[in-house]
């Protein structure tokens, strides 16, 4: 209204005080009641019963309501969204944008070609933001032709994109006349200030692109080494009944960065998944530190390229112990959890956990027990809603509510939430808002969901022993989760990490395949081998849960953490002060009227 | 006894007496001149000697001048009957200081009377028959009984006065202690009835400061009469206060005029007045005490 926008919209809730004030006014006794000894003289005075009703009440009530309304207005921090000639263009340059169609054009280039703007803003100046960059530093002001030129130069990179969240932050920035999003994410809905240029129309490209490589295994067979993995197809690709024939290559990685191709084969993926196996002679593997399995789909349809490459460590890992902390540790012991094949569990009670050295463990499970702080190692929380201070959950009565899941997501393929028959769905890829609670990619796997205005995380999985076919479904889910965490733990001498990273104590700086250095505790985003002091430490198989994560459209424009730029605030800095001063003036007037009335003649 | 009935206060009361302008018949000897002739110090009259008269009363000087025997007659000194009507109706309880001062004035008058050998009767709303006291030994009892009096719902002050006046057999000094915030007619009737029975009247009016000068209020108040449970809404602004003061002044003037006409003493006290100083001084000044 009148070009006004508000920085502090939740303050509007205080407006509820307005009807409360009116109600209080009506409920208030009209007169002070006072006992007197005798009314003999007082009764001879003119009675004042009608006086306040007719004159006093409306004016003072009106003034007080006005003052309150002005206070609420001031609290809303109003400002005039001045008409700006600036347009923000957000370019999603995540890996998924590198998917290619039958013509060999990447999604990014297709979208760039489709990029057009209304005549109204054709002459505007543009700020280009890239998903891989920061929102704090836009590009310099560009003309439309410069912008198109710049977009053509952009190449997809590997990062956790969170395009939806970033778009919502840009939308909250009122200094932009318009925000244009170029992305392959479907859930970004347009509004009057938002224009989405997405690839949703390009159906031939989108779904075939989801090919994943999972479950790497390595086993020795006589003098040969068997390396196997699974290729998964997206659900839509399956429905299309089209077989896909990617090329899979096996590469050996040697210290110093030398990579030798050991084998390659074309695999026809007919169903949901397809096994691939490579058998190589052991004598050819001297000095090999790691193996890389690479997936190259025909026509270049792999969209999530980070998932198309898996690494296996050639050397054994000493950190192969897992910790379970549970108040039920005794019954878990009795159930034989410690003997579960492929795991090396240590069961501890919460009391025993206090002061425990976590360095011997590769990861930990916290069952029905919330540690006072996030543990230093990758952790899986299976927590009851009660007393759960790490993850706020709704109420103890709430059943697990799985909001949605992407069946095609690699993590969900492992977890198989659809096995939980009867449960609606699960998001097992933490959405952007959980980042405030937990650094999801740093280790913990959380269950998340939304219901009404509530969001919850890490609730409800039961830790039950696997009992073969009679296992409760939830325990199947649990075991699948474990499998994902371990990324095929049944091969003892190898460890691949999934996205459970930065778990080693190594205080030294780690160096990646491409020579990128990582400080201790820093998140690893690029897959591949990492070494410190020239010695190979571990392999990171990055599966970015957030790569496929889309911010639901309801997040757009609702992200209160997004602050309008300082410039906008400064321009209107005085508006709330004016409202506050007016409110004070009205209150003063109200007070003066009160004083005046006490002396006015009847 | 507690303040204000302190030792200093009692020292001030020494030698004070309730003054009556007329002589009243008493039932026993006391400190006030009575119309009855007999033993006494105050010369009253001569009469012719009759056999049996005491020779000591023959005035030999008159005999020398007239050759007739006359005996001197004296006015007998008898006790005075003091009646105190203490208004302890609910109207005196708001504010409580009104009834407080009224009780203190009643006790003071009773103490002075009892000290001088008078009989004191105290009428109040809690029982039909008055409290009756005589002799200095009754002082503590008076204090206890009167101080224990509470505001009474059923006390109709004017009617009680009329009733008591009708029943009285022997006139004396009577004190009416009230706020007199009721119609002047009732007050006049009480005064007339007592005057007709030859009572010598003292009217003590006790009003609270806020009744004399009500504070100005910024908003109207609903005022609730404790006694009648009547209600009225009054906006005590400057104009209304002025009007109130005029009305009160007129009312007080009417009462004072009635008192003058009936030969009664009229005293107005503010309920926050100090008993030992302001009240006593005024009682002396108005000739109620001497």
């Amino acid at each position: 209204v009148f070009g006004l926008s508000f920085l502090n919209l939740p303050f509007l809730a205080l407006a509820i005080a307005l009807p409360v004030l009116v109600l209080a006014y009506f409920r208030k006794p009209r007169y002070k009641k006072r006992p007197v000894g005798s009314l003999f003289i007082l009764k001879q005075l003119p009675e004042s019963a009608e006086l306040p009703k007719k004159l006093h009440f409306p004016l003072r009530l009106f003034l007080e309501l006005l003052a309150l309304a002005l206070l609420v207005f001031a609290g809303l921090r109003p400002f005039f969204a001045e008409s700006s000639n600036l347009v923000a263009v957000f370019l999603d340059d995540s890996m998924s944008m590198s998917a290619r169609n039958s013509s060999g054009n990447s999604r990014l280039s297709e979208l760039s070609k489709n990029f057009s703007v209304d005549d109204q803003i054709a002459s505007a100046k543009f700020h280009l933001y890239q998903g891989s960059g920061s929102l704090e530093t836009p590009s310099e002001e560009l003309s439309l032709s410069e912008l198109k030129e710049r977009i053509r130069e952009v190449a997809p990179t590997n990062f956790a994109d969170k395009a939806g969240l970033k778009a919502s932050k840009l939308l909250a920035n009122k200094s932009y006349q318009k925000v244009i999003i170029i992305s392959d994410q479907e859930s970004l809905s347009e509004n009057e200030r938002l224009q989405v240029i997405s690839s949703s129309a390009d159906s031939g490209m989108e779904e075939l692109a989801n090919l994943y490589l999972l479950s790497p295994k390595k086993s020795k067979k006589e003098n040969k080494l068997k390396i196997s993995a699974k290729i998964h197809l997206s659900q839509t690709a399956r429905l299309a009944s089209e077989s896909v024939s990617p090329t899979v290559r096996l590469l050996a990685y040697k210290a110093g960065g030398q990579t030798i191709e050991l084998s390659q084969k074309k695999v026809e993926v007919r169903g949901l998944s397809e096994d691939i196996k490579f058998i190589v002679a052991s004598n050819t593997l001297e000095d090999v530190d790691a193996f890389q399995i690479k997936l190259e789909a025909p026509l270049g349809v792999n969209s999530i390229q980070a998932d198309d490459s898996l690494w296996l460590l050639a050397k054994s890992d000493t950190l192969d112990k897992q910790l379970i902390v549970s108040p039920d540790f005794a019954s878990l012991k009795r159930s034989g959890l410690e003997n579960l094949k492929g795991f090396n569990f240590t069961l501890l009670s919460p009391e025993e956990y206090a002061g425990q050295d976590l360095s011997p463990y590769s990861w930990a499970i916290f069952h029905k027990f919330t540690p006072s702080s996030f543990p230093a190692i990758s952790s899986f929380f299976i927590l009851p809603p009660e007393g759960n201070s790490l993850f706020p959950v709704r109420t103890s009565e709430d059943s697990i509510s799985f909001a949605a899941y992407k069946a095609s997501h690699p993590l969900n393929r492992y977890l198989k939430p659809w096995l939980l028959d009867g449960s609606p769905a699960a998001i097992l890829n933490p959405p952007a808002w959980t980042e405030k609670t937990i650094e999801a990619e740093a280790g913990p796997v959380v269950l998340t969901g939304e219901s009404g205005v509530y969001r919850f995380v890490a609730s409800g999985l039961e830790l039950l022993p696997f009992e073969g076919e009679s296992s409760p479904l939830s325990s199947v889910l649990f075991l699948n989760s474990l499998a994902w965490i371990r990324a095929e733990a049944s091969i003892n001498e190898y460890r691949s990490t999934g996205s459970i990273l930065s778990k080693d104590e190594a205080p030294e700086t780690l160096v990646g395949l491409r020579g990128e250095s990582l400080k201790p505790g820093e998140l690893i985003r690029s897959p591949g081998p990492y070494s410190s002091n020239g010695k190979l430490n571990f392999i990171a198989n990055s599966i970015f849960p957030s790569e496929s994560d889309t911010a639901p459209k309801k997040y757009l424009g609702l992200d209160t953490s997004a602050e309008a730029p300082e410039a906008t605030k400064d321009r209107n800095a005085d508006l709330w002060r004016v409202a506050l001063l007016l409110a004070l003036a009205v209150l003063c007037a109200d007070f003066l009227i009160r004083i005046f009335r006490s002396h006015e003649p009847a | 006894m507690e303040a204000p009935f302190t030792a200093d206060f009692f020292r001030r009361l020494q030698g004070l007496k309730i003054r009556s302008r007329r002589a009243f018949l008493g039932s026993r000897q006391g400190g006030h001149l009575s119309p009855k002739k007999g033993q006494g110090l105050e010369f009253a009259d001569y009469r012719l000697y009759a056999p049996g008269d005491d020779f000591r009363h023959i005035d030999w000087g008159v005999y020398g001048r007239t050759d007739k025997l006359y005996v001197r007659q004296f006015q007998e000194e008898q006790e005075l009957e003091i009646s105190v009507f203490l208004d302890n109706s609910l109207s005196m309880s708001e504010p409580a200081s009104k009834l407080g001062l009224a009780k203190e004035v009643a006790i003071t008058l009773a103490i002075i009377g009892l000290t001088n050998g008078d009989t004191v009767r105290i009428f109040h709303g809690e029982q039909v028959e008055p409290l009756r006291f005589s002799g200095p030994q009754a002082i503590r009892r008076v204090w206890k009984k009167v101080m224990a009096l509470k505001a009474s719902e059923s006390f109709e002050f004017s009617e009680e006065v009329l009733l008591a006046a009708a029943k009285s057999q022997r006139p004396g000094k009577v004190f009416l202690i009230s706020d007199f915030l009721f119609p002047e007619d009732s007050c006049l009737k009480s005064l007339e009835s007592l005057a007709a029975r030859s009572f010598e009247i003292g009217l003590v009016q006790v009003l609270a400061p806020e009744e004399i000068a009500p504070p100005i209020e910024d908003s109207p108040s609903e005022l609730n009469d404790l006694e009648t449970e009547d209600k009225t809404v009054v906006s005590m602004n400057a104009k209304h206060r002025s009007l109130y003061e005029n009305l009160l002044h007129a009312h007080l003037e009417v009462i004072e005029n009635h008192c003058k006409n009936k030969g009664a003493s009229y005293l107005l006290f503010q309920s926050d007045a100090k008993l030992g100083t302001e009240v006593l001084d005024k009682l002396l000044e108005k000739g109620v005490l001497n």
Side-chain angles (χ1 to χ4, degrees):
Chain A
V1 182
F2 307 121
L4 264 185
S5 299
F6 302 97
L7 275 183
N8 194 9
L9 210 56
F11 210 80
L12 196 61
L14 268 192
I16 202 167
L18 290 167
V20 169
L21 184 68
V22 174
L23 199 69
Y25 225 101
F26 279 109
R27 289 184 66 88
K28 198 178 96 177
R30 198 156 291 158
Y31 309 109
K32 279 182 285 177
K33 290 190 175 181
R34 195 154 56 81
V36 290
S38 171
L39 283 178
F40 174 64
I41 307 283
L42 291 163
K43 266 209 143 174
Q44 298 172 51
L45 295 176
E47 195 156 345
S48 314
E50 296 306 308
L51 205 62
K53 235 191 291 175
K54 284 184 181 166
L55 292 171
H56 294 193
F57 167 68
L59 182 58
R60 286 201 55 207
L61 174 64
F62 170 76
L63 287 175
E64 282 162 22
L65 287 176
L66 182 65
L68 186 60
L70 283 168
L71 283 174
V72 170
F73 184 71
L76 284 170
R77 300 287 303 276
F79 65 93
F80 287 105
E82 290 170 23
S83 58
S84 158
N85 200 29
L86 264 181
V87 174
V89 177
F90 177 80
L91 179 63
D92 178 2
D93 57 346
S94 63
M95 271 303 185
S96 60
M97 295 288 276
S98 68
R100 294 178 190 282
N101 63 8
S102 50
S103 317
N105 295 328
S106 74
R107 182 175 282 163
L108 183 59
S109 63
E110 287 289 322
L111 288 174
S112 306
K113 253 193 274 173
N114 295 340
F115 177 72
S116 63
V117 294
D118 304 341
D119 292 343
Q120 288 176 323
I121 58 166
S123 59
K125 290 288 175 191
F126 297 87
H127 272 170
L128 177 65
Y129 293 90
Q130 285 175 232
S132 53
S134 161
L135 289 186
E136 308 296 320
T137 51
S139 67
E140 68 277 22
E141 290 184 6
L142 303 165
S143 67
L144 184 59
S145 56
E146 285 171 333
L147 176 74
K148 285 182 174 174
E149 184 78 15
R150 186 70 69 87
I151 291 174
R152 269 198 294 276
E153 289 167 7
V154 173
T157 47
N158 183 23
F159 66 97
D161 61 359
K162 300 179 182 61
L165 182 70
K166 289 180 176 174
S168 68
K169 285 186 175 175
L170 277 178
L171 264 183
N173 185 337
K174 306 289 183 192
S175 61
Y176 288 121
Q177 182 189 353
K178 199 169 178 120
V179 177
I180 299 174
I181 311 280
I182 304 173
S183 171
D184 58 349
Q185 296 195 6
E186 299 156 43
S187 56
L188 300 170
S189 66
E190 297 190 41
N191 65 33
E192 58 178 16
R193 284 186 59 234
L194 176 68
Q195 181 190 348
V196 180
I197 299 171
S198 83
S199 64
S200 56
D202 190 5
S203 58
M205 173 191 288
E206 187 189 32
E207 298 301 343
L208 284 176
N210 291 331
L211 274 173
Y212 305 116
L213 258 178
L214 298 171
S215 312
K217 288 185 184 178
K218 180 174 170 256
S219 61
K220 277 182 183 170
K221 199 175 180 184
E222 296 169 1
N223 288 330
K224 291 175 180 172
L225 193 69
K226 185 175 142 196
I227 296 172
S228 57
K230 268 186 198 309
I231 303 175
H232 284 266
L233 235 71
S234 74
Q235 197 173 14
T236 317
R238 262 187 294 133
L239 289 173
S241 321
E242 245 180 80
S243 61
V244 184
S245 304
T247 301
V248 188
R249 296 164 65 200
L250 177 66
L251 305 165
Y253 170 84
K254 290 190 174 181
Q258 190 192 355
T259 310
I260 308 158
E261 183 170 315
L262 294 176
S263 177
Q264 86 163 292
K265 60 170 75 174
K266 209 171 180 75
V267 183
E268 191 176 359
V269 185
R270 282 177 291 265
L272 186 108
S273 65
E274 198 67 44
D275 291 332
I276 42 168
K277 284 175 196 159
F278 291 100
I279 296 172
V280 287
S282 296
N283 55 6
T284 61
L285 301 175
E286 275 179 26
D287 300 332
V288 171
D289 281 332
F291 299 102
Q292 184 185 18
I293 306 169
K294 247 183 145 175
L295 188 65
E296 288 170 354
L299 307 174
V301 295
N302 300 319
S303 71
I304 305 177
Q305 297 201 345
D307 301 340
D308 301 340
S309 177
L310 282 180
W311 294 82
L312 289 171
L313 199 63
K315 291 173 184 171
S316 63
D317 182 6
T318 50
L319 284 176
D320 198 29
K321 287 173 76 184
Q322 306 89 41
L323 177 66
I324 295 182
V325 185
S326 170
D328 298 339
F329 76 105
S331 66
L332 290 173
K333 255 184 189 168
R334 277 200 300 281
S335 68
L337 195 65
E338 280 179 310
N339 305 321
L340 205 62
K341 192 186 165 197
F343 296 97
N344 185 7
F345 287 126
T346 302
L347 292 166
L348 292 180
S349 68
E351 293 77 26
E352 288 168 331
Y353 168 71
Q356 180 76 26
D357 176 18
L358 296 180
S359 57
Y361 301 103
S362 52
W363 46 269
I365 292 173
F366 292 89
H367 174 232
K368 293 185 180 176
F369 164 69
T370 316
S372 55
S373 60
F374 281 110
I377 58 169
S378 300
S379 303
F380 186 63
F381 294 94
I382 303 166
L383 304 175
E386 301 87 1
N388 182 346
S389 58
L390 286 186
F391 305 98
V393 290
R394 209 170 150 201
T395 65
S396 58
E397 286 81 29
D398 290 330
S399 57
I400 312 167
S401 170
F402 290 39
Y405 67 88
K406 269 201 153 181
S408 58
H409 193 279
L411 178 55
N412 287 345
R413 288 210 168 278
Y414 270 115
L415 298 179
K416 296 183 177 64
W418 49 86
L419 288 176
L420 287 174
D421 194 24
S423 294
I427 287 183
L428 293 154
N429 46 334
W433 53 263
T434 55
E435 280 192 329
K436 286 174 192 163
T437 317
I438 182 167
E439 186 63 54
E441 288 182 40
V445 175
V446 291
L447 289 185
T448 61
E450 292 195 33
S451 176
V453 295
Y454 294 94
R455 292 166 170 175
F456 58 90
V457 283
S459 169
L461 280 188
E462 260 309 313
L463 182 58
L464 297 171
F466 185 66
E467 295 165 3
E469 287 178 0
S470 62
S471 298
L473 289 175
S474 58
S475 74
V476 175
L477 179 59
F478 167 63
L479 289 172
N480 284 334
S481 307
L482 293 183
W484 183 80
I485 293 170
R486 289 280 289 149
E488 210 52 68
S490 57
I491 307 171
N492 287 330
E493 66 266 38
Y494 295 108
R495 173 164 65 89
S496 53
T497 56
S499 65
I500 312 298
L501 306 172
S502 68
K503 66 175 195 168
D504 289 318
E505 308 172 81
E508 308 92 358
T509 299
L510 294 170
V511 181
L513 178 64
R514 297 179 188 88
E516 69 269 33
S517 63
L518 281 151
K519 288 182 182 131
E522 200 174 333
L523 217 70
I524 297 173
R525 295 196 182 277
S526 297
Y530 282 84
S531 59
S532 63
N533 299 330
K535 190 186 160 199
L536 190 66
N537 267 36
F538 62 89
I539 295 278
N541 281 323
S542 289
I543 300 172
F544 288 105
S546 54
E547 170 65 23
S548 303
D549 175 26
T550 52
K553 53 189 170 188
K554 62 186 167 185
Y555 297 159
L556 291 179
L558 288 177
D559 187 359
T560 53
S561 65
E563 286 265 315
E566 286 304 315
T568 305
K569 280 193 270 184
D570 289 346
R571 270 202 296 276
N572 297 286
D574 292 335
L575 205 52
W576 71 272
R577 290 196 178 95
V578 172
L580 190 64
L581 279 175
L582 275 175
L584 290 174
V586 171
L587 282 175
C588 284
D590 181 53
F591 182 71
L592 287 175
I593 286 174
R594 183 181 166 163
I595 299 285
F596 172 74
R597 283 196 175 146
S598 66
H599 292 96
E600 76 177 345
Chain B
M1 282 188 276
E2 295 158 13
F5 300 99
T6 56
D8 282 343
F9 178 73
F10 278 99
R11 263 195 290 281
R12 271 214 76 184
L13 296 188
Q14 273 178 4
L16 291 181
K17 216 170 154 183
I18 288 173
R19 183 179 159 216
S20 63
R21 288 193 292 271
R22 297 208 310 274
F24 293 101
L25 263 178
S27 57
R28 53 191 169 78
Q29 267 200 332
H32 296 272
L33 289 175
S34 89
K36 192 178 172 188
K37 296 189 178 58
Q39 300 291 323
L41 295 173
E42 195 77 21
F43 171 78
D45 203 357
Y46 291 106
R47 68 169 168 78
L48 281 170
Y49 172 79
D53 284 340
D54 194 337
F55 288 132
R56 284 176 296 178
H57 291 160
I58 293 172
D59 191 328
W60 295 107
V62 174
Y63 174 75
R65 289 195 295 277
T66 62
D67 260 353
K68 286 181 182 168
L69 285 171
Y70 284 91
V71 289
R72 279 194 297 269
Q73 285 190 309
F74 296 91
Q75 267 192 303
E76 201 162 316
E77 284 193 333
Q78 288 189 317
E79 46 99 34
L80 179 67
E81 184 149 301
I82 300 166
S83 301
V84 178
F85 285 85
L86 174 62
D87 182 358
N88 64 331
S89 63
L90 282 177
S91 76
M92 292 290 283
S93 65
E94 186 57 44
S97 62
K98 267 161 74 178
L99 184 60
L101 187 75
K103 288 198 285 193
E104 286 169 9
V105 172
I107 294 169
T108 305
L109 292 170
I111 291 172
I112 295 170
L114 293 171
T115 312
N116 291 297
D118 299 328
T119 300
V120 176
R121 294 193 301 165
I122 295 179
F123 293 82
H124 59 88
E126 286 187 9
Q127 59 190 68
V128 180
E129 288 303 315
L131 302 168
R132 194 185 179 89
F133 307 93
S134 56
Q137 70 281 1
I139 289 175
R140 180 167 283 277
R141 208 147 48 84
V142 172
W143 178 79
K144 263 191 176 170
K145 291 265 186 193
V146 174
M147 287 310 277
L149 287 177
K150 294 204 166 66
S152 167
E153 279 180 36
S154 58
F155 193 54
E156 288 290 339
F157 185 71
S158 300
E159 286 176 21
E160 288 296 326
V161 173
L162 286 173
L163 194 67
K167 286 201 293 191
S168 68
Q169 292 167 348
R170 205 168 50 195
K173 187 90 182 177
V174 64
F175 291 98
L176 307 179
I177 308 175
S178 172
D179 55 8
F180 293 101
L181 288 178
F182 43 78
E184 296 92 349
D185 289 352
S186 308
C187 180
L188 181 62
K189 272 186 196 168
S190 305
L191 291 174
E192 280 176 343
S193 150
L194 290 168
R197 294 276 175 171
S198 304
F199 279 97
E200 189 180 322
I201 308 163
L203 193 143
V204 179
Q205 186 169 22
V206 181
L207 289 175
E210 55 266 41
E211 286 173 329
I212 294 169
I216 286 179
E217 290 173 344
D218 57 358
S219 59
S221 300
E222 187 182 272
L223 304 177
N224 182 16
D225 190 316
L226 284 177
E227 207 162 287
T228 62
E229 292 180 2
D230 272 0
K231 284 174 187 168
T232 188
V233 177
V234 168
S235 179
M236 193 52 81
N237 50 34
K239 185 173 181 182
H240 282 172
R241 188 166 95 154
S242 164
L243 182 60
Y244 174 91
E245 285 171 345
N246 290 341
L247 288 166
L248 180 71
H249 188 253
H251 175 68
L252 299 184
E253 213 168 55
V254 171
I255 292 175
E256 196 169 358
N257 285 337
H258 285 329
C259 288
K260 266 185 197 160
N261 294 340
K262 300 297 168 195
S265 321
Y266 171 76
L267 296 102
L268 172 65
F269 292 117
Q270 203 164 290
S271 62
D272 57 356
K274 296 273 176 293
L275 182 71
T277 52
E278 294 164 61
V279 174
L280 271 184
D281 290 348
K282 201 158 188 180
L283 286 169
L284 284 163
E285 180 194 320
K286 291 278 181 177
V288 176
L289 302 177
N290 60 6

